[in-house]
Amino acid sequence: MKFLVCITQVPDTTTKITFTPDKKAFNAAGVQFIINPYDEIALTRALELKEALGGTVTVINVGSASTEANIRKALAIGADDAIRINAEANDAYYVAFQISEVAKKNGYDVIMTGKESIDFNGGQVPTMLGELMGLPSVSVATKLDINGTTATLEREIDGGKEVVESKLPFVAGAQKGMAEPRIPNMRGIMTARTKPLTVVEPVACDMLSGSAIFDLPAAKGDCKMINPNNVAELVNLLHTEAKAI
Amino acid sequence: MSVLIFAENWDGKFKKSTYEAISYATELARQTKESVTAVVIGNVSDEDMKSLGKYGAQKVLSVKNDKLNTLSPSAYASAITQAVQKENAKIVVISYTYSGKSVAGRVAVKLKAGLIAGATALPSSTSPFTIRKKCFSGKGLTDVVVSSDVKIVGLTPNSYKVNTEDGSAAVESFSPTFNDTDFASTSKETKKTSGKIALTEAEIVVSAGRGLKGPENWGMVEQLAELLGAATACSKPVADVGWRPHHEHVGQTGITIGPNLYFAIGISGAIQHLAGVSSSKVIVAINNDKEAPFFKAATYGICGDAFEVVPKLIEEVKKFKSAH
């Protein structure tokens, strides 16, 4: 069974986000980049399924050469090989389009992504990939099992969960609960250096959207402290001042 | 021309997020002098469909098909796309719920339309079409510019106010065509978190963290939530150790929410947690550590022992509820 896992790199979750003075870009100076946490969950589940069912796990990334350290980390975690599409990720459509062009040629049985990247939080790559490839997609899946040519997934819905059955091939976006991310071991790190990492050039793609200006959220005013022996005051303020209850 | 809105329903009933999306579409249509058409997929009563007029929809396209009573992202996207073409709509509004997320990207690809994935406000400009959304899990904001002919707005639930007016929508039956591949995945079973309010839609959220010391102490959190008609949530460490289910985890790697009122009980307020709740309109932090970072992000703070403060709060809310 051939698995394709789409990964992207994002600022470490503890990063204090800042933007360049002209507000046109993210200020990456001094920022540590990691594999998007949800992509790591997708990768781990793909590896677990490969161990159970046999096959290969390929990771794919749309990014500049600066992402290669994180691609090597994915190889160290256990992926067999990697593909980097040499382009800056413009928007979800651009990323999904580039990946679909490569994926169409290679005939994967299962394509996985994170449910969203923690930088732009759009959550559209799994859905768009599904549409571009004419495959079913489950965009926020908390469980994934494969039995023969059928997959059973659990997807999040508003106020509950839904069990979905899908034919292979399909696209799934991984949400927490699907797997516990793995930490690479020494052997993995050593072998990752020699695993194949193929670089391909992007194909022409329409630009449908882009980010123009970045801003930081407005700072909150001072916190009003209330005496713990006067909880009634809090209820009163929530009603009269904040009008929240 | 019209602004098209996908009016999502859940078991035949519309949700608050649907009314928000129609209200949003109505304001957009007012600016561009167009009308609002809603697409309803599944089994909804005529009465309920007509009532969408109260939120500003002039027309409802009703798609009924036995296979469409549960979400099939591909088939739903086919139906919405054909409705867009029929109405010659240039703007499509989809509430960015789990279902909305599952179809919006597909509609975008079919129409080669730029998508604002998680809009939080009306466009700041219609030419170029520019809408603000959150990025970096709420730590930043960005203006997304869409240059395509058709534009899709994925509207974040709880970010736009429901407006009502007098009106009734004209319901029209609509029969789009489907392909076999539209049904390659099927819903087998739904498991509802019974009787609870969906976290992403809740007006009030009561959330607690490690400060509560153990899962057995969540009774007071649930009691407070029930009194306030609120959803319950938790911090990441609590979900990680299994005190609470993962779907309650709010924060950068959990769910991002923006309720009217957020209670943080025994949560220190790490940057990853704040990212997920920073768009809450009012935040109340209850913590026994006066240095807790949450006090810098909160509107109101109580520095005290949660096991004393929360029961008192429950009593006060009870008094308030019986007086109002």
Side-chain angles (χ1 to χ4, degrees):
Chain A
M1 194 159 288
K2 286 177 78 174
F3 294 89
L4 180 69
V5 181
C6 310
I7 63 168
T8 184
Q9 70 171 20
V10 295
D12 180 82
T13 56
T14 55
T15 309
K16 193 167 183 290
I17 301 295
T18 57
F19 301 107
T20 53
D22 65 2
K23 295 185 171 183
K24 284 186 177 157
F26 170 64
N27 180 9
V31 170
Q32 168 90 23
F33 283 90
I34 57 168
I35 301 174
N36 181 42
Y38 297 112
D39 300 349
E40 230 172 42
I41 296 172
L43 173 61
T44 310
R45 187 61 191 147
L47 292 169
E48 289 169 0
L49 289 167
K50 172 200 143 174
E51 283 152 16
L53 306 166
T56 55
V57 174
T58 303
V59 290
I60 190 164
N61 165 257
V62 178
S64 62
S66 68
T67 65
E68 288 200 0
N70 276 316
I71 297 176
R72 290 281 173 207
K73 190 186 168 200
L75 293 169
I77 293 171
D80 298 288
D81 59 349
I83 301 165
R84 178 172 69 81
I85 300 169
N86 188 28
E88 290 294 339
N90 174 64
D91 64 359
Y93 179 75
Y94 184 86
V95 171
F97 187 82
Q98 297 301 338
I99 293 173
S100 72
E101 288 296 304
V102 173
K104 277 176 190 168
K105 291 179 205 149
N106 296 351
Y108 297 101
D109 301 292
V110 179
I111 301 176
M112 296 174 72
T113 70
K115 67 142 186 168
E116 67 182 39
S117 66
I118 61 164
D119 50 5
F120 284 88
N121 313 101
Q124 279 313 315
V125 172
T127 314
M128 289 181 167
L129 252 178
E131 184 62 34
L132 286 162
M133 301 193 63
L135 299 177
S137 60
V138 176
S139 49
V140 184
T142 50
K143 263 189 195 168
L144 165 63
D145 286 298
I146 295 175
N147 194 346
T149 56
T150 308
T152 307
L153 299 104
E154 210 167 82
R155 78 174 189 98
E156 285 198 340
I157 50 179
D158 301 275
K161 291 211 166 137
E162 185 175 41
V163 181
V164 178
E165 218 171 76
S166 177
K167 290 182 188 132
L168 263 53
F170 65 90
V171 185
Q175 160 72 315
K176 279 204 159 187
M178 189 188 272
E180 280 303 316
R182 288 182 187 178
I183 296 161
N185 58 27
M186 191 46 84
R187 192 172 162 271
I189 294 165
M190 298 303 285
T191 53
R193 290 192 207 159
T194 53
K195 284 180 179 172
L197 194 171
T198 315
V199 179
V200 299
E201 290 304 316
V203 291
C205 170
D206 291 315
M207 297 288 182
L208 302 179
S209 72
S211 270
I213 295 286
F214 292 93
D215 237 328
L216 293 172
K220 289 253 177 196
D222 279 348
C223 176
K224 202 175 263 184
M225 294 306 287
I226 293 154
N227 188 316
N229 296 316
N230 192 8
V231 179
E233 177 64 7
L234 173 66
V235 175
N236 180 37
L237 285 170
L238 286 176
H239 179 61
T240 55
E241 187 180 82
K243 302 199 181 346
I245 57 172
Chain B
M1 284 207 292
S2 61
V3 174
L4 195 97
I5 177 255
F6 167 48
E8 183 189 341
N9 71 84
W10 177 237
D11 263 359
K13 291 285 167 203
F14 294 117
K15 310 198 285 187
K16 187 176 131 242
S17 55
T18 302
Y19 301 137
E20 289 167 3
I22 302 177
S23 302
Y24 181 96
T26 303
E27 185 52 39
L28 259 179
R30 197 166 287 150
Q31 290 177 10
T32 53
K33 300 195 168 49
E34 293 176 274
S35 63
V36 176
T37 301
V39 188
V40 175
I41 303 174
N43 239 338
V44 180
S45 74
D46 268 15
E47 215 45 48
D48 283 350
M49 284 196 274
K50 280 183 197 155
S51 77
L52 295 183
K54 279 198 296 197
Y55 307 93
Q58 275 101 333
K59 184 157 93 175
V60 173
L61 296 177
S62 162
V63 183
K64 285 189 184 173
N65 178 327
D66 281 347
K67 285 179 173 170
L68 297 178
N69 292 337
T70 53
L71 175 74
S72 165
S74 188
Y76 275 43
S78 291
I80 296 166
T81 303
Q82 289 169 57
V84 171
Q85 287 158 343
K86 175 179 150 61
E87 295 293 304
N88 191 22
K90 298 295 175 204
I91 301 175
V92 184
V93 180
I94 297 176
S95 180
Y96 220 50
T97 59
Y98 284 113
S99 305
K101 276 182 196 176
S102 310
V103 299
R106 286 186 174 268
V107 178
V109 170
K110 282 180 195 286
L111 294 168
K112 278 232 174 159
L115 163 69
I116 297 103
T120 52
L122 286 162
S124 54
S125 140
T126 46
S127 179
F129 196 78
T130 309
I131 292 187
R132 188 150 271 218
K133 82 175 276 278
K134 281 188 264 183
C135 60
F136 297 100
S137 306
K139 291 178 186 170
L141 301 162
T142 182
D143 286 341
V144 179
V145 179
V146 175
S147 46
S148 52
D149 182 33
V150 179
K151 287 112 180 144
I152 302 179
V153 183
L155 179 67
T156 304
N158 257 346
S159 64
Y160 196 80
K161 213 174 158 305
V162 174
N163 293 315
T164 52
E165 48 193 79
D166 281 337
S168 172
V171 180
E172 196 178 292
S173 165
F174 178 53
S175 308
T177 53
F178 297 103
N179 297 321
D180 284 350
T181 53
D182 281 340
F183 300 99
S185 69
T186 47
S187 164
K188 289 289 153 194
E189 184 194 349
T190 50
K191 302 173 183 173
K192 273 188 226 174
T193 329
S194 59
K196 293 223 175 138
I197 298 155
L199 193 47
T200 46
E201 288 201 354
E203 299 262 3
I204 304 177
V205 173
V206 181
S207 185
R210 258 184 310 191
L212 287 204
K213 297 190 169 73
E216 65 280 7
N217 297 325
W218 246 260
M220 60 183 189
V221 175
E222 280 171 352
Q223 197 188 347
L224 179 60
E226 201 183 312
L227 275 171
L228 292 165
T232 52
C234 70
S235 65
K236 181 172 185 288
V238 163
D240 282 349
V241 296
W243 292 359
R244 300 296 290 177
H246 271 305
H247 63 76
E248 279 200 2
H249 161 204
V250 292
Q252 188 166 12
T253 54
I255 301 170
T256 306
I257 53 170
N260 262 337
L261 176 57
Y262 182 77
F263 286 89
I265 303 166
I267 302 176
S268 65
I271 187 167
Q272 297 98 322
H273 185 81
L274 294 180
V277 301
S278 60
S279 47
S280 308
K281 281 111 204 152
V282 179
I283 294 177
V284 176
I286 299 169
N287 207 296
N288 60 4
D289 174 10
K290 68 178 189 330
E291 301 298 329
F294 231 129
F295 289 129
K296 291 199 174 67
T299 326
Y300 303 107
I302 295 184
C303 182
D305 183 351
F307 294 102
E308 288 169 22
V309 174
V310 178
K312 279 188 211 161
L313 183 55
I314 289 171
E315 287 316 305
E316 291 302 330
V317 171
K318 273 184 188 163
K319 274 191 230 162
F320 170 81
K321 288 280 173 189
S322 60
H324 288 83

